[in-house]
Amino acid sequence: MVEPIIRLENIHKAYGKDEILKGISLEIQEGEVVVIIGPSGTGKSTLLRCINQLTVPNKGDVWVDGVELTDPRVDINKARRHIGFVFQDFNLFNHLNALNNVSIGLKLVLGLTPEKAKEKALLELDRVGLKQKADLFPGQLSGGQKQRVAIARALAMDPRVMLFDEPTSALDPELIGEVLEVMQKLAREGMTMICVTHEMGFAREVASRIIFMEHGVVVEEGSPEHMFTRPQYDRTREFLGKISELYGKQK
Amino acid sequence: MTETFTGLIPYILTGLQVTLEVTILALGIGFIIGLGLALVRVYGSKTPAQLIAVVSVIIRALPHILLLLLMYFAIAALVNLTPFWAGSLSLAIISSAYQSEILRGALLSVGSGQMMAARTLGMTRVQAIRHIILPQALRQAIPAWSNEAAIIVKDSSLVYVLGVPEILRKAQYYSARTYQPFTAFIAVAVVYFVLTFLTNRGLCALERKLKIPGQ
Amino acid sequence: MQAYLIFLQTAIPELWAGTLITLQITLVALIAGFFIGFPAALARIYGGKTLSAISTTYTEIFRGTPVLVQLFIIYYGLPQFGITLSAFMAAYVAMGLNSGAYQAEYFRGAIQAISSGQMMAAQSLGMNKLKAITYIIVPQAFRLALPAWANEVVSMVKVTSIVYLTAVPDLMTKAKILSSKYFNPIETYLTAAVFYLIIIGILSIVLNYIEKVSRIPGLEMEGEAR
């Protein structure tokens, strides 16, 4: 067995008395596309944020690419460089145009020269099909375009893994497709991805594994085929039924 | 009348440089202190943040003339400063309390997502504040800050009481010499009016120039 | 410490007397400011070209120049034309005119924050413009202007302190007299500062309470302090 690129061991997180994560363990191999599903408020986003330590777990270990991020001696800024993160509400830097949104990390964090950074940023914008929008500011882009810039910004750092936190939930239905397309392309290229999403079509098509979470624990996990056709637990079946009813009709 | 003004206005304007210097020093030093205080209040640890909040409330509750005199005498007891410097510094400290509130509000108006996104790229907290939060917050602060700038232009007249030879003091000299107090003080009012007007216009233009496209 | 306590025995009655004068000037200024500022706001919005221009000029001039200069013009300047006001009267006039300009802006903001739909709805019920302003717009505007108006009360307590330059015996002037008599400016001004803090503290609590009990749910506006 190869060493997994991400390993979570017994992750606990609570806000006051409210226990969000109740001991989650997970291993993800390089090249895997893992989709995490589950009702809202069950800790999916918190789990994702524990991976890059945006949220620090109360207990448990996080290993990414052979480094234990929960070790206080680890330089977390250095570790985060190579963990791409895509937010639900984009969080593009409002005062920078698309090009500079992508290049600022290259310059400030990776220390590239302005010319090199610009060159690389244009390349990444091209990858998400937005090279011609490089000069526009976030306020001048549609939601789908913003999210694609956000993906380019994360990709520019040459991440070893990409984490997606409900990347299409804030989008108008007609804009979801362009973002999913970019994500599918990434998956085909072999990027290791963890996606929290309700897009079952995407999960069915692209995921190597689907994880169903509820109330801070993993209820069930398996291949899309297993999860969609013969899930072991009623809760999984119920949830998948409800979600395809909710989201299926829009398409 | 014309003769009065040809003599009066140039005479008052001999104090203009002092007025401008006091204003710019008070605003500039007040900005540096105020920004530091705002950063501590938003990003610093709890105890200093609370301490600053309390001091800021006290300063903002007191009349500026009282604070000016209090600090003038306190500074005079400690170091040997000219009234010009003591007055400018006192106004700067007063202004820093108001500016820290303006800047704190501006820092808080930048969504927490901006900081998170910067940190996920691997930026340090300081890098994120400097390159992501501040450029947005400072733009946001311009309208309120221009209000404060106009207040300090007007407050610069308070150093009159310390005998600093700014425009109001010049007007008073003129009125004592010519027995035309009304003419003298109206003239100085006109100068202040032009100054506050230009301050507002200038900062408005700056705001437009720095406006982020699409916002 | 001993010396300071002895000083306080003389200082407290003096500063208290000054406090009453400070409150008196503040009160007169606020009332005068209201009776100038509110009509000025109405003139600015509903008054037609000329009245609106006069109102705008008034507020811009008084907000664009230092209150100290305004006081000097009225107290030291007017005698040039044979108009001599007592120090108190000059303070009332200057502070009243100054506060009026700021109050005009607060009321204007409040009136303009009330949607044009309110006026249309009132007129569609058959009210004429005057009635609509009196019964529909103004009551809402007063409520909306309250936070800004509360700020103005606190501001005026502070602003009146400059009357010490025209020797009106307010809190600030009393402090100055005491400090030159006892050669202890820092102690005196700190003591006066405590008096100001108490006045402003009590006023803030009272005004906050009034604001809270008179709150109309859902009707709110940002108050802008000077």
Side-chain angles (χ1 to χ4, degrees), chain C residues 19 43 65-66 74 99 155 188 205:
Chain C
T19 301
T65 54
I74 288 163
S99 185
S155 289
T188 312
I205 292 167

Side-chain angles (χ1 to χ4, degrees), chain A residues 127-171:
Chain A
R127 241 171 119 182
V128 298
L130 287 175
K131 194 176 176 180
Q132 72 286 2
K133 305 276 184 193
D135 292 330
L136 295 187
F137 285 78
Q140 300 169 307
L141 298 171
S142 73
Q145 291 169 338
K146 279 187 216 174
Q147 194 59 298
R148 282 148 71 197
V149 173
I151 293 173
R153 175 175 71 179
L155 287 176
M157 307 295 286
D158 288 329
R160 301 275 290 133
V161 297
M162 285 284 285
L163 311 177
F164 292 87
D165 187 3
E166 304 206 28
T168 57
S169 298
L171 296 177

Side-chain angles (χ1 to χ4, degrees), chain B residues 57-77:
Chain B
V57 165
I58 291 176
I59 289 183
R60 287 178 301 121
L62 291 175
H64 297 182
I65 186 78
L66 174 70
L67 285 166
L68 181 73
L69 287 171
L70 192 54
M71 282 189 264
Y72 173 72
F73 286 114
I75 290 173

Side-chain angles (χ1 to χ4, degrees), chain A residues 49 54 84-94 101 130 137-154 163-172 175-176 178-179, chain B residues 111-118 120-121 132:
Chain A
R49 281 160 197 226
L54 272 186
F85 198 102
V86 176
F87 297 87
Q88 177 178 344
D89 41 10
F90 331 123
N91 289 334
L92 287 184
F93 303 132
N94 296 315
N101 257 283
L130 287 175
F137 285 78
Q140 300 169 307
L141 298 171
S142 73
Q145 291 169 338
K146 279 187 216 174
Q147 194 59 298
R148 282 148 71 197
V149 173
I151 293 173
R153 175 175 71 179
L163 311 177
F164 292 87
D165 187 3
E166 304 206 28
T168 57
S169 298
L171 296 177
D172 292 334
L175 301 175
I176 291 176
E178 58 186 271
V179 173
Chain B
S112 60
Q114 297 286 309
M115 173 63 93
M116 273 198 289
T120 58
L121 289 178
I132 305 300

Side-chain angles (χ1 to χ4, degrees), chain B residues 193 197 201, chain C residues 36-37 39-64 100-102 104-105 108 112:
Chain B
F193 186 79
F197 180 80
R201 278 301 159 92
Chain C
I36 301 166
L42 291 176
R44 176 94 179 255
I45 297 170
Y46 301 111
K49 231 179 183 170
T50 318
L51 280 179
S52 174
I54 292 171
S55 170
T56 309
T57 311
Y58 158 64
T59 53
E60 291 303 304
I61 287 176
F62 277 86
R63 282 160 17 98
Y102 284 90
E105 281 302 288
R108 179 176 73 95
Q112 285 177 338

Side-chain angles (χ1 to χ4, degrees), chain A residues 49 52 54 76-78 80-81 83 85 87 91-96 101 104-105 108-109 137 139-140 153-154 157, chain B residues 110-125 127-128 131-133 135-136 139 212-215:
Chain A
R49 281 160 197 226
N52 72 350
L54 272 186
I76 191 65
N77 297 318
K78 212 165 171 183
R80 279 189 186 134
R81 290 175 191 179
I83 307 172
F85 198 102
F87 297 87
N91 289 334
L92 287 184
F93 303 132
N94 296 315
H95 63 304
L96 301 176
N101 257 283
I104 190 165
L108 281 182
V109 179
F137 285 78
Q140 300 169 307
R153 175 175 71 179
M157 307 295 286
Chain B
V110 179
S112 60
Q114 297 286 309
M115 173 63 93
M116 273 198 289
R119 298 303 303 275
T120 58
L121 289 178
M123 287 187 208
T124 63
R125 218 165 132 80
Q127 277 179 323
H131 295 278
I132 305 300
I133 309 290
Q136 299 183 54
R139 281 182 173 89
I212 300 162
Q215 277 209 322

Side-chain angles (χ1 to χ4, degrees), chain A residues 58-123:
Chain A
N58 302 116
K59 214 176 106 182
D61 297 335
V62 176
W63 294 75
V64 177
D65 206 12
V67 181
E68 190 197 339
L69 302 191
T70 33
D71 183 339
R73 286 164 302 179
V74 163
D75 179 356
I76 191 65
N77 297 318
K78 212 165 171 183
R80 279 189 186 134
R81 290 175 191 179
H82 302 300
I83 307 172
F85 198 102
V86 176
F87 297 87
Q88 177 178 344
D89 41 10
F90 331 123
N91 289 334
L92 287 184
F93 303 132
N94 296 315
H95 63 304
L96 301 176
N97 64 21
L99 179 73
N100 289 329
N101 257 283
V102 181
S103 67
I104 190 165
L106 299 171
K107 286 184 281 198
L108 281 182
V109 179
L110 298 182
L112 264 60
T113 62
E115 299 78 39
K116 280 258 163 59
K118 184 180 175 186
E119 196 180 313
K120 171 108 168 116
L122 281 172
L123 212 70

Side-chain angles (χ1 to χ4, degrees), chain C residues 114-215:
Chain C
I114 292 164
S115 71
S116 55
Q118 296 283 318
M119 177 61 101
M120 278 192 282
Q123 285 178 325
S124 75
L125 289 176
M127 290 188 201
N128 62 28
K129 204 171 170 183
L130 186 65
K131 274 198 173 134
I133 292 171
T134 315
Y135 296 107
I136 305 299
I137 308 290
V138 166
Q140 295 185 59
F142 277 163
R143 183 58 201 85
L144 271 184
L146 197 54
W149 204 82
N151 279 333
E152 178 62 12
V153 174
V154 171
S155 289
M156 275 325 279
V157 173
K158 297 193 281 170
V159 169
T160 56
S161 62
I162 59 128
V163 300
Y164 110 113
L165 282 164
T166 53
V168 174
D170 77 324
L171 179 48
M172 190 64 204
T173 307
K174 292 284 188 185
K176 185 196 169 194
I177 294 168
L178 284 167
S179 82
S180 51
K181 199 161 143 194
Y182 292 91
F183 302 108
N184 59 350
I186 297 179
E187 286 95 328
T188 312
Y189 287 124
L190 277 177
T191 314
V194 173
F195 272 73
Y196 273 110
L197 284 178
I198 292 171
I199 301 175
I200 300 232
I202 292 174
L203 281 176
S204 303
I205 292 167
V206 171
L207 290 164
N208 253 328
Y209 178 76
I210 294 174
E211 232 176 89
K212 215 183 256 164
V213 294
S214 64
R215 181 161 290 158

